Amino acid sequence: MKKVLLTLIAAIGISSASSAQTAGTLTVTFTQVAKTPGYSGTKNVMAIWISSNSGTFIKTKRRNAGSSTKDHLPTWSVAAGGTASNCLSANANVTDATTGATLSSFATRTVVWDGKGVNGSVNGTTVADGVYKINIQSCWNHGTSGTITKSFTFTKGPNADHQTPANDAYFTNVVIDWVPTGLGIESMVDNQEINVFPNPVNQGIVNVSYEQAN
């Protein structure tokens, strides 16, 4: 065994009990099913966002709606801090999201999430590892019969999570891929004893020591 010492530059104090925050990328792709028969048009509005497993809002990835359809995405709007009647409200958080007008067709859509929330800066900070949801609200007609909101659960962490959910009447060819690009401290030391000092942090310097096999 040999002792390993890491020195990190830190912006905030941490403790040895801090949660892992694995960096990585979530890519979600799906194809919208054209709503025929029953709807002859092609215009539709959509919102895609990340939430915790319990439903707490994390970040919007896409919002497409117009002034005449601003009441068509109530679930996302409320989750993001807005009101059910106006998804275009400035209170509905779209930090770092793709936004645009009403969509003109049913097509394949792709969004990418960098594992970060909206707090702290434009790109925020990496959220703790755990179970999260990618949520999609799609509306193509007035009333509840023309709206679907669907959620897919995935695990953000040091292990890749690849899923291909079954097709349904609203979305086909769904692919969900969480790919980690780094490891949190807990994963790096593989459950061995770890010492983090000083705590609180002194002048932004953090030292991490642990035992590593030769």
Side-chain angles (χ1 to χ4, degrees), residues 101-123:
T102 300
L103 297 166
S104 60
S105 64
F106 297 102
T108 298
R109 314 292 180 188
T110 298
V111 295
V112 178
W113 179 51
D114 59 5
K116 297 179 180 180
V118 297
N119 58 305
S121 67
V122 172
N123 290 317

Side-chain angles (χ1 to χ4, degrees), residues 81-99:
T83 62
S85 62
N86 184 11
C87 72
L88 300 182
S89 167
N91 292 328
N93 197 306
V94 290
T95 301
D96 198 33
T98 298
T99 60

Side-chain angles (χ1 to χ4, degrees), residues 2-178:
K2 64 180 179 180
K3 180 170 286 188
V4 177
L5 176 65
L6 303 177
T7 300
L8 310 174
I9 304 299
I12 58 174
I14 66 171
S15 70
S16 57
S18 61
S19 299
Q21 295 170 283
T22 306
T25 300
L26 175 76
T27 303
V28 179
T29 299
F30 60 89
T31 300
Q32 297 172 274
V33 177
K35 306 305 181 292
T36 55
Y39 178 64
S40 59
T42 57
K43 291 185 177 181
N44 62 98
V45 297
M46 176 176 291
I48 305 173
W49 71 103
I50 305 292
S51 70
S52 69
N53 192 38
S54 62
T56 301
F57 174 80
I58 302 297
K59 177 175 275 191
T60 303
K61 291 310 305 170
R62 182 164 187 163
R63 184 205 64 194
N64 287 90
S67 59
S68 63
T69 55
K70 63 184 181 181
D71 61 341
H72 284 28
L73 297 173
T75 303
W76 166 79
S77 188
V78 171
T83 62
S85 62
N86 184 11
C87 72
L88 300 182
S89 167
N91 292 328
N93 197 306
V94 290
T95 301
D96 198 33
T98 298
T99 60
T102 300
L103 297 166
S104 60
S105 64
F106 297 102
T108 298
R109 314 292 180 188
T110 298
V111 295
V112 178
W113 179 51
D114 59 5
K116 297 179 180 180
V118 297
N119 58 305
S121 67
V122 172
N123 290 317
T125 55
T126 302
V127 300
D129 290 354
V131 178
Y132 291 86
K133 291 179 179 178
I134 180 79
N135 308 281
I136 307 167
Q137 182 166 36
S138 175
C139 181
W140 57 92
N141 209 346
H142 294 277
T144 56
S145 62
T147 301
I148 182 65
T149 302
K150 188 159 186 176
S151 299
F152 299 95
T153 302
F154 65 94
T155 300
K156 174 192 174 295
N159 299 315
D161 187 353
H162 174 76
Q163 302 180 40
T164 54
N167 295 340
D168 62 19
Y170 306 99
F171 307 115
T172 62
N173 305 315
V174 182
V175 179
I176 301 170
D177 269 312
W178 164 256

Side-chain angles (χ1 to χ4, degrees), residues 200-212:
V201 174
N202 182 19
Q203 298 181 341
I205 303 298
V206 178
N207 296 294
V208 182
S209 68
Y210 61 96
E211 299 290 333
Q212 185 181 64

